[in-house]
Amino acid sequence: MTAQVEATQVALDDIARVIGSGVSAPAFRVLLDGGAVQLTSDQCDLQLAAADNGDTVFTGQGQGVTVRWRFAPERDGYWVTLDVAAERPLGCVAIESLILTYRPGVEVGAWRVPAFGESDVNVYHVGLLRVRDFETEKPPDSTICGAFPDGAAPGLFLGTRLPQRFRHLYTVRTPDAAGVEFRATTRFMEGMQGEAALTSETTWVCGSRGLRAGLETYADHIPLVDAPQPPPTGWNSWDYYFRTVSLDDLIENMDAIGREPELAATLRYMVVDDGWQHNDGEWQPNYRWPGGLERAVEEIKQRGFTPGVWTAPVLVQTLSLPASRTPEMLVQDRWGDPQPGGVAERYTLDPTHPVAQEFLREFYTRLYRIGFRLFKVDYVSELLAAERFHDPTAGPYDALRTLFALIRECVTDESHIIGCSLPPECGPGVCDSGRLGIDIHNHWSHVEWVADYLQLRYWLHNRIWVNDPDFLVVRGLDTSTETETNVTNPAAHQPEPPRWRRGPVFTLDEARTWAMLVALTGGSLFLSDRVAALNEAGMALLRAMPAPTGVSARPLDLGDADRAALWLQDSGGRYRLGVINWSDEARKIRFDYAEHGLDAPAKVQDMWTGEALRVNGGASEVRLEPHASAFWEWAV
């Protein structure tokens, strides 16, 4: 072994030791010439290069390609980036900028892997998964990954620097019962594969922290905003009406809210969701809106609310006029034909195309002039499936930022923009508030599902956007005057239904637990029930609902179980604690304040009843029925 090779190996081993015990020396792989050629770290004759800022940099060459591999130290870990360049087009399909095998000295099959879906493309692949789920290699996530035995003990954490340009996926593979391999992979679209120089996305890796500590250390690379926006509040038509909403429905709900003075004072926006349009791509009101959107805006303003509207700007129905006559503005496949979208019978608009940009400007300028001041922008993650854009240098997140910048130009800073399915990978400042994850419906399966997202995305609040947990819905058989509280459920009677709308509608306990989680996010608050159809129990829950604090709760026991049960919201000396029984059996739960670094108060107040509850021996104890929760508040 030459002195140069030995020095390189020593440096890589030192990096592995800093990252954490049981971590192998890092490696990389680059897929060139359309994937036909592989360039690995051991083929590049890597040499240590001088860096005057404390970074460790390796340079090397192989197969006519120059590589530069940078490790920038950051709080017991490293930010890792790989540059590749040549004197010819690389044909680079992907850069695997970091390959690590982690062997903590015990079997890791039961360890948890954090994942909130591949950039929202696969909403079923979210939560604290198990290492044993990855016996064959598959991507758990674009933004975060790792493996942890519980919430407190150190594990290995990986997270991607935001904002991103390109799709970046972590894959997990289990070579044996005691090891887990991670790969951080940046994938390049067709237009970028002709470049002679490319840079991977950047990964932070650390092996000395527990899951929540690692997540919050990673989150700090995006600073909290100095003057956060107040969370928006209002009512939205979607969850009760789906695409059947009409002007009469809107008026009925506004008048029902108006009969509740405290509720009306809390809610600002009235949002007309999906179903107002003729069809996707032909954004004109349909027959259920006599007088058009102008009449709807007038009715909303007359009642003292601010008008809001749902849009899906990149969806274009395949037989619509725009799709039929201006196909050049659609995302194209490799042959130059419109690429089918992920939504049935829809194409996807290409926001980098000048014709599409003019289409979007007309659409949003028209809605703004009519009087809308909240814009819910949905289905935008469809752009992540694009094979290429009109602008060949644009990555998917570039295209999304272009889209939202154009919308902002049309609707001005006077309007509030909600990014619905907007990936957080786009980074801060793209929209005002952003959806955390899956749609809520009044089924317990959806409360669990949204919580899977919330426990891994709570930190986005006031960094990327104002967190939007989706709607506050409380209707169920205990809280509604209606026998059927939902639109048709196509899997209602299946013996093995899918996760989507699985099981019966809410009990009162389940509705309270969901309402508590909405309050604890500190973010958006939008009702989405048919308010006039709620019974006294349902209305009492809405009346007791606290206004948003603007502060996100933290999951104190993140990683101790599949779903966090203890949520603490600290609003500068005023605390709110949510305790959830996720089990299908009744449970007694004891919360010891000192165990979580808190001074025990003498008493706490029940947020729903107003009852004062004494704290005994530095702890609060409660017996909770299945899916029930306790919601306490105290001040210091």
Side-chain angles (χ1 to χ4, degrees):
M1 181 182 292
T2 67
Q4 174 187 301
V5 172
E6 184 175 359
T8 297
Q9 189 59 52
V10 168
L12 289 171
D13 290 340
D14 286 344
I15 286 170
R17 279 190 289 272
V18 170
I19 291 172
S21 175
V23 176
S24 67
F28 67 75
R29 185 176 69 152
V30 184
L31 302 182
L32 303 166
D33 296 337
V37 175
Q38 298 186 19
L39 176 63
T40 63
S41 48
D42 58 8
Q43 296 172 337
C44 290
D45 192 23
L46 293 176
Q47 303 178 38
L48 274 172
D52 57 9
N53 58 359
D55 296 353
T56 300
V57 179
F58 301 91
T59 61
Q61 288 188 329
Q63 304 189 48
V65 175
T66 299
V67 300
R68 192 169 190 268
W69 200 19
R70 178 181 293 272
F71 291 78
E74 178 74 28
R75 285 190 282 185
D76 302 326
Y78 291 95
W79 288 106
V80 184
T81 313
L82 183 66
D83 301 321
V84 296
E87 294 183 356
R88 58 176 175 82
L90 290 163
C92 185
V93 175
I95 296 176
E96 295 177 352
S97 56
L98 184 64
I99 304 172
L100 292 174
T101 299
Y102 181 43
R103 297 184 182 278
V106 296
E107 289 195 4
V108 296
W111 286 34
R112 291 181 171 88
V113 176
F116 52 67
E118 183 196 326
S119 304
D120 288 328
V121 170
N122 186 354
V123 296
Y124 288 87
H125 198 70
V126 60
L128 293 177
L129 311 178
R130 302 293 181 133
V131 169
R132 58 174 170 255
D133 295 333
F134 298 91
E135 292 177 356
T136 57
E137 186 176 295
K138 59 182 176 179
D141 199 78
S142 174
T143 306
I144 60 171
C145 195
F148 296 86
D150 54 39
L156 189 68
F157 182 92
L158 300 94
T160 316
R161 183 185 293 278
L162 305 181
Q164 295 177 212
R165 287 195 64 203
F166 305 107
R167 289 182 64 194
H168 182 256
L169 300 179
Y170 294 102
T171 52
V172 177
R173 188 177 67 88
T174 51
D176 51 57
V180 55
E181 181 195 82
F182 297 95
R183 291 178 182 245
T185 304
T186 303
R187 300 193 177 277
F188 299 100
M189 299 181 69
E190 179 185 297
M192 296 303 294
Q193 292 173 23
E195 297 293 309
L198 288 170
T199 299
S200 74
E201 299 293 342
T202 301
T203 291
W204 182 66
V205 57
C206 177
S208 62
R209 285 167 167 75
L211 175 54
R212 201 187 86 197
L215 185 60
E216 293 182 354
T217 302
Y218 159 75
D220 282 344
H221 83 278
I222 304 173
L224 288 164
V225 298
D226 293 332
Q229 291 196 31
T233 61
W235 178 88
N236 182 292
S237 62
W238 172 254
D239 190 68
Y240 182 89
Y241 296 97
F242 278 32
R243 301 193 75 190
T244 68
V245 64
S246 68
L247 177 65
D248 289 342
D249 298 324
L250 177 67
I251 291 172
E252 178 196 273
N253 281 277
M254 288 192 293
D255 290 347
I257 291 168
R259 292 190 290 271
E260 297 283 337
E262 291 185 4
L263 201 59
T266 299
L267 305 181
R268 176 182 176 187
Y269 296 102
M270 290 291 130
V271 184
V272 180
D273 209 289
D274 190 3
W276 64 266
Q277 73 276 22
H278 174 60
N279 67 32
D280 296 340
E282 294 181 332
W283 299 104
Q284 299 292 339
N286 59 40
Y287 69 94
R288 292 191 296 272
W289 297 88
L293 294 177
E294 291 83 354
R295 167 86 184 280
V297 165
E298 179 184 353
E299 296 284 355
I300 292 170
K301 288 183 174 180
Q302 283 180 355
R303 290 164 175 81
F305 299 109
T306 301
V309 65
W310 173 93
T311 60
V314 304
L315 292 188
V316 182
Q317 209 274 338
T318 53
L319 297 181
S320 67
L321 182 62
S324 299
R325 302 302 179 199
T326 52
E328 66 271 19
M329 72 177 185
L330 305 174
V331 168
Q332 310 289 310
D333 62 21
R334 69 189 65 181
W335 299 285
D337 297 322
Q339 178 182 325
V343 180
E345 298 184 353
R346 301 295 187 275
Y347 294 131
T348 307
L349 199 73
D350 181 348
T352 73
H353 196 286
V355 174
Q357 291 172 358
E358 287 307 307
F359 177 88
L360 292 165
R361 283 194 181 93
E362 187 283 327
F363 176 31
Y364 282 98
T365 300
R366 171 162 44 91
L367 293 179
Y368 177 78
R369 287 175 177 166
I370 289 171
F372 290 103
R373 293 297 181 267
L374 179 141
F375 296 85
K376 179 180 175 183
V377 184
D378 203 354
Y379 283 101
V380 294
S381 63
E382 291 295 298
L383 289 170
L384 299 179
E387 295 178 7
R388 59 176 175 160
F389 293 113
H390 174 75
D391 178 358
T393 67
Y397 304 115
D398 296 325
L400 283 161
R401 285 186 287 267
T402 296
L403 169 66
F404 277 79
L406 190 151
I407 295 171
R408 176 65 73 192
E409 174 190 327
C410 296
V411 306
T412 80
D413 288 338
E414 181 185 5
S415 299
H416 187 99
I417 299 176
I418 301 175
C420 191
S421 87
L422 178 68
E425 291 92 328
C426 287
V430 178
C431 62
D432 298 303
S433 58
R435 270 279 296 281
L436 290 174
I438 196 69
D439 291 4
I440 189 63
H441 292 304
N442 59 337
H443 300 262
W444 182 247
S445 63
H446 280 256
V447 177
E448 295 175 316
W449 209 342
V450 176
D452 287 341
Y453 278 96
L454 177 57
Q455 67 182 354
L456 295 175
R457 285 189 165 179
Y458 68 96
W459 59 272
L460 298 172
H461 187 61
N462 291 336
R463 297 180 191 269
I464 300 292
W465 52 41
V466 172
N467 276 354
D468 179 0
D470 207 13
F471 310 123
L472 172 61
V473 290
V474 302
R475 68 187 186 279
L477 297 183
D478 298 332
T479 51
S480 174
T481 61
E482 297 181 304
T483 302
E484 176 52 66
T485 64
N486 254 324
V487 296
T488 300
N489 182 349
H493 301 99
Q494 291 184 18
E496 296 183 5
R499 191 176 189 183
W500 191 270
R501 296 181 63 189
R502 179 189 301 159
V505 298
F506 277 172
T507 65
L508 179 57
D509 279 340
E510 291 168 347
R512 282 178 173 161
T513 296
W514 171 240
M516 181 187 73
L517 279 171
V518 171
L520 288 171
T521 67
S524 302
L525 173 63
F526 282 88
L527 311 188
S528 196
D529 290 312
R530 183 184 178 193
V531 178
L534 295 176
N535 64 19
E536 183 52 35
M539 289 307 302
L541 185 49
L542 293 189
R543 294 182 193 116
M545 187 71 184
T549 63
V551 177
S552 175
R554 295 177 297 133
L556 298 179
D557 56 341
L558 178 64
D560 287 338
D562 290 342
R563 208 165 280 121
L566 303 173
W567 290 82
L568 181 70
Q569 188 180 66
D570 179 358
S571 299
R574 180 167 292 277
Y575 294 95
R576 288 175 179 169
L577 178 69
V579 182
I580 303 172
N581 179 13
W582 294 109
S583 170
D584 294 335
E585 305 291 334
R587 291 184 59 205
K588 184 178 288 186
I589 299 176
R590 185 176 187 273
F591 182 80
D592 188 299
Y593 293 84
E595 285 182 6
H596 298 282
L598 299 169
D599 294 329
K603 59 184 178 180
V604 297
Q605 183 178 11
D606 187 297
M607 288 292 292
W608 298 131
T609 67
E611 180 185 0
L613 306 172
R614 294 199 61 79
V615 175
N616 298 312
S620 293
E621 192 169 89
V622 62
R623 184 182 185 279
L624 296 174
E625 295 300 315
H627 308 169
S629 56
F631 193 15
W632 299 325
E633 182 178 47
W634 71 94
V636 296

